[in-house]
Amino acid sequence: MAPPPPPSEPLSSSTTPSVKILPLRPFQPDLHERAWASVPHPTLPLLATAHSKSATVFSLATLSSHSSLTGGHTRSVRSVAWKPGLPPHKLCLVTGSFDSTAGLWRWDGDTAGEVGPALEMEVTARSAARSTAAHAGDDSDRDDDGDDNDSDRGGDGKDWEFTLVLEGHDSEIKSCAFSPSGAYLATCSRDKSVWIWEDIGASDDDDEWETVAVLNEHEGDVKAVAWCPDVPGRNARRRFSPDVLASASYDNTVRVWREDGDGEWVCVAVLEGHDGTVWGVQWEPRPSHGRFPRLLSHSADGTIRVWTLKDDEDDDEGQSSGARSALGGIPNTMRRSLREEWTCTAVLPMAHGRDIYSVAWSGESGLVASTGSDGIVALYKEVEEPAAVPAPDAVPQEGQPAADGQNGASPSAASWKLVATQPGAHGPYEVNHVTWCRRYDAGSSRRGEEEMLVTTGDDGVVRPWEVRIQPEDGS
């Protein structure tokens, strides 16, 4: 694999004043303990935060506690994932814990006819006071390794029901994620493995899951898993499973996984280039030019890398003719390797001096946000520039992206600029996670359409941020 292009030089805020990061009122109540991650519901104005041995669900409309899930785990909850595709009055949340299990929780509302903000507001009105009181009086979850003395395995009152425990990992679960359809759940662990679970229940309420794959190729802790989003045309030329999973590891690599024609999950690519632990991966939410979604990886080496899948359109055209190979007369389509060629096509400008714990890629604005151990929140913008027409005999310089058509990139060259930074986003504390989500609060002029950032840190505060994008001329 060719070496990646060098990082772009960061821009000073004085030369690019088009993006500002402005604090909004923090979510209430403060959790008063380390919080690991906050994940927005795919369609409803709800946000789930993992902390201590529990998870708290916040309302994006009131910026206050909606409900809490407690009593399901004996050690800290490290990650959460919402099951997609359910009716709006049904909620399903999976919690991944340091106790090596994943828990499945369900909430069934009483207002099946209401959807969207109307349902969320009705739920919040019934549960916010109860949840706030529960947080104010409960200090039992301060110690991640302590025993769980909470005997109520039903979460916050009768709303949340702890319905299933997924067991199999030998050590802490670091991340969990649902596939776009909700049919698969991926979990990863300190035991160096990735597990894929399949929902085989007959209905949305039937909690029956089975293990379909245990992936053991990583050589270190697996820090994160992420499924490729279901975007139009992403698999038009693929010959195998439409579901694509990426995993990031302590072994400094990213691996890409697919299901082959025999139903076996296989590693189709190993992405190498980072000089430290890869803390996570993030798929491009809305790829342009009909290309396959790119992949971001972020690391302890302080860099964020963009990976692009080589476009195999030319190969497909050759195979579609039905030509037979010289080896036994077997059609090439039957011999095609599942291996994929991914290339590092960009390294974002340096904004962090320490580990980058989390990155989020906006499907609305295209901005990328990052944060980590140094407490900085940084924003990056991709700028497309007309590509120079190469001479017929020109040879790409080593380390530079290949010409159009050789790596699946767009017809124009692209560069990334650092457009805003927010030092000390959580004071002296590390920031563990950043995510984009829709705004539904009273300060939003376009409820459900505007975006905001949400950061989660060691101080136990979940902080929303307005990202104000101004015209380049400052008007």
Side-chain angles (χ1 to χ4, degrees), residues 40-88:
H41 189 278
T43 56
L44 296 174
L46 299 171
L47 183 82
T49 298
H51 63 100
S52 190
K53 302 171 195 171
S54 61
T56 293
V57 177
F58 290 99
S59 161
L60 291 175
T62 64
L63 303 184
S64 63
S65 176
H66 164 294
S67 53
S68 61
L69 297 75
T70 60
H73 294 285
T74 59
R75 294 187 62 192
S76 180
V77 173
R78 178 65 176 81
S79 60
V80 292
W82 293 99
K83 191 175 192 298
L86 295 177

Side-chain angles (χ1 to χ4, degrees), residues 217-276:
E217 295 190 29
H218 277 296
E219 299 177 357
D221 302 11
V222 187
K223 298 294 188 182
V225 286
W227 294 91
C228 183
D230 189 10
V231 295
R234 67 168 187 171
N235 289 292
R237 294 186 292 272
R238 314 314 300 171
R239 300 269 196 244
F240 32 97
S241 168
D243 289 306
V244 188
L245 180 69
S247 56
S249 173
Y250 189 83
D251 64 12
N252 302 357
T253 71
V254 173
R255 290 180 181 265
V256 180
W257 311 84
R258 289 184 187 257
E259 188 179 19
D260 66 14
D262 297 323
E264 298 292 329
W265 285 86
V266 295
C267 178
V268 297
V270 180
L271 312 186
E272 299 176 297
H274 284 293
D275 295 327

